Each structure stands twice: as structure tokens, then as C-alpha cells.
Amino acid sequence: MSTLTQRSSGLVQRRTEASRSAAAADRDHGCGGEEDYEPRRVDEQDDDDSGDSKEARLTLMEEVLLLGLKDREGYTSFWNDCISSGLRGCMLIELALRGRLQLEACGLRRKSLLARKVICKSDAPTGDVLLDEALKHIKDTQPPETVQNWIELLSGETWNPLKLHYQLRNVRERLAKNLVEKGVLTTEKQNFLLFDMTTHPLTNNNIKQRLIKKVQEAVLDKWVNDPHRMDKRALALIFLAHSSDVLENAFAPLLDDQYDLAMKRVRQLLDLEPEGESMKTNTNELLWAVVAAFTK
């Protein structure tokens, strides 16, 4: 998988002047970023911010996209080739946290996380179009596929023409439209010389700032130095934001000493061994399988 195998395992550092200049070129390009979202049951809501209204409650996919969107321009970086596969990883973890997916039993010889198949635990609709579409693919596919294969298939990164129908199309645009419905973004048309493009600038800065604060606090004020004591959604968001190359956007506003401490703690998380962590109590094996797929 090109985006998985080519992704550096290192952290994104603060931008140099040269990289800022390259990023400025993004304003001449762009890529768009829907989905419905039903209120989850009480047992599925424990990881949400208590301050979020029901309408503003975001999925992992929406949170990662929102971190990656430029506030005024309303599109993700033209140079970001990681977010597509990152969003598919978000879908798998979201479905696992909602009790829809799990990994097959490891067996007596204990298969590795990346060798174990993804199993549909429940096919109950989530009320979310993208999640239900992915869940249907996984439920209907026999024999089952691994986490890494599903990230490839849902991204359309396969050489097998018989499996191209697994690709989820226009994911960023569909997610952005859903954020418009939640009052977080708006929709505009921008002219880029040869073509017009739909963009989604930020309209509700409070929600994005609350999201950024949640990411920052997870590795600063609320740091517990144990991933299994961390909020599972916050833990997943940190891994997925890094894999999608948008974590820097959450840490950029920090002071230098806070930034260095946050990045040091993120590095500690990235240096964890997914195989070992998945065997501990109070864990979600599929979450660690997705982490393994992006950090292997």
C-alpha cells in the first residue's frame, strides 16, 4: 500500500521557512473533504466531550478532517497524501469502538495483529452513511480480510480490478458536507484559474478549538503515561491524526516548551509495540491493529 509503506514513522516537526513557503502554494490547489451521525447509546457515548451538544458530536473521521482543513480556505493541504488512508483507518476504529467490528481470535499459535482478519461482530446500522457502507463491505466479504487490506481496499489502492468496488468515493467531500450540516463548516465556490472548486471554510471556531484543546490536553494536562488509562477515542485520535499528517495543526499554537513536551509524549505513544499493547487488559485489539498498519 503506497501511502502506508511510504509514510515516515517520524513525527512532523515545526515547519521551517522553506516548508512554510511550500505550504503557501497550497492556496493555489485544494482537495475537498459527509456523513450522517446518529446519537450513540449511553454506553457508546462515554468518550465524547461532555461539552459537545448532540448536534456537534463528531466522529473520528470528522475530527481528523477538521484538523486537516484550512480554516479560511476550506480544503486540506494539496501535499497531504496520507489523509485518505488515515480516514479509512478512522472508519475501522470507529466501528470497533461502536461494537461493530473485532479481530478474529488469535489462535493457539497467536497470529500477529496484521495477520488476523477483521470480523463483523454486529451488523446493526450505525445511522452513519460512510460507516454503514464500510460495515456492509466487511460483513459481505468472504473470506475476511486483514486491517491493512481493508485500509487499501476502502482507499481504492488495489491492483485487483475485481476489488475496486470496495473503494469509498468522495469521502472528504462527504465528511465536509456533514460538518456543514452540523454547523461547523460552510460551503463556498472558489475559482482556481482553470476550474471552480467547492470549498468548506470554518464557521464555528468554538468546535474546532475544543477539538484542538482535547488533543493538546491528552498529552499535556491529562497525560497519564499509560495508553490503557487514556480515553480510547482521544488515544485513537492522536494516532490517526499523526498517520493522516494533521497532528502538527493541533500542536502549532503551543508555546515552544509545551510543543516539545507534547511531541515527546506523542513519540512515546508511537514507540509502543502494538502487539504487546493489544494483549493487555482494557484494550481494543482492532485499534492496535490499525496502529500497527500505520507504524509498521
Side-chain angles (χ1 to χ4, degrees):
M1 172 173 21
S2 59
T3 54
L4 292 188
T5 56
Q6 292 174 4
R7 180 179 294 108
S8 168
S9 61
L11 284 170
V12 177
Q13 299 298 320
R14 284 191 185 273
R15 292 178 176 175
T16 62
E17 289 301 321
S19 63
R20 288 193 186 97
S21 299
D26 290 349
R27 298 182 181 180
D28 296 328
H29 308 280
C31 35
E34 142 201 298
E35 77 181 352
D36 305 313
Y37 186 82
E38 70 165 357
R40 282 171 284 158
R41 301 187 305 271
V42 173
D43 61 337
E44 295 173 327
Q45 295 176 4
D46 55 337
D47 293 318
D48 283 345
D49 287 344
S50 58
D52 282 350
S53 67
K54 183 166 65 175
E55 292 76 14
R57 199 172 286 136
L58 307 181
T59 64
L60 287 171
M61 301 98 75
E62 292 166 343
E63 289 179 328
V64 167
L65 180 70
L66 189 55
L67 286 175
L69 280 176
K70 300 172 182 293
D71 293 356
R72 294 183 179 178
E73 293 86 345
Y75 51 79
T76 56
S77 171
F78 177 75
W79 310 107
N80 189 336
D81 60 352
C82 303
I83 196 168
S84 178
S85 56
L87 289 173
R88 274 63 176 187
C90 289
M91 294 176 193
L92 295 178
I93 293 181
E94 186 77 52
L95 286 167
L97 293 178
R98 294 191 186 202
R100 303 307 197 275
L101 299 180
Q102 63 183 19
L103 290 183
E104 66 176 344
C106 57
L108 295 178
R109 299 182 63 179
R110 188 156 194 93
K111 295 181 180 178
S112 69
L113 289 172
L114 295 181
R116 293 163 66 183
K117 310 296 185 181
V118 179
I119 304 299
C120 178
K121 182 179 179 182
S122 168
D123 62 355
T126 65
D128 178 297
V129 175
L130 280 170
L131 291 180
D132 288 344
E133 193 174 336
L135 182 61
K136 185 177 187 304
H137 282 319
I138 294 171
K139 173 180 177 292
D140 293 345
T141 299
Q142 294 297 330
E145 300 280 359
T146 63
V147 161
Q148 188 167 351
N149 285 348
W150 273 120
I151 294 174
E152 292 179 349
L153 292 172
L154 296 175
S155 301
E157 296 180 357
T158 176
W159 294 103
N160 187 342
L162 299 179
K163 294 188 175 183
L164 287 175
H165 66 283
Y166 289 120
Q167 181 181 6
L168 301 183
R169 301 182 182 276
N170 303 317
V171 168
R172 273 174 279 188
E173 179 65 21
R174 294 165 71 183
L175 287 171
K177 287 181 179 178
N178 197 59
L179 288 170
V180 170
E181 294 178 3
K182 294 182 178 182
V184 182
L185 307 177
T186 188
T187 301
E188 294 181 357
K189 287 282 188 181
Q190 287 195 27
N191 180 268
F192 290 88
L193 297 179
L194 299 178
F195 62 94
D196 290 333
M197 188 183 77
T198 301
T199 60
H200 301 282
L202 184 69
T203 57
N204 190 330
N205 190 54
N206 290 335
I207 292 179
K208 183 161 186 177
Q209 288 306 311
R210 188 157 64 239
L211 171 61
I212 290 173
K213 182 180 178 182
K214 179 172 73 172
V215 176
Q216 293 174 352
E217 287 184 341
V219 293
L220 292 174
D221 300 341
K222 296 182 179 180
W223 177 250
V224 292
N225 201 29
D226 180 358
H228 302 283
R229 291 170 55 204
M230 292 179 66
D231 176 277
K232 287 187 175 63
R233 295 185 69 85
L235 177 66
L237 179 58
I238 292 171
F239 279 119
L240 293 164
H242 175 262
S243 301
S244 303
D245 198 14
V246 300
L247 188 59
E248 162 74 10
N249 298 344
F251 292 158
L254 294 173
L255 299 174
D256 286 347
D257 56 342
Q258 292 177 312
Y259 178 91
D260 292 340
L261 179 59
M263 297 305 268
K264 176 183 177 182
R265 288 172 173 172
V266 170
R267 168 52 64 194
Q268 292 178 28
L269 294 176
L270 294 173
D271 286 342
L272 293 171
E273 176 51 54
E275 294 288 348
E277 299 302 323
S278 69
M279 291 186 284
K280 297 181 180 179
T281 58
N282 189 32
T283 191
N284 185 300
E285 290 183 317
L286 198 144
L287 185 157
W288 289 105
V290 173
V291 172
F294 285 123
T295 61
K296 66 181 180 60

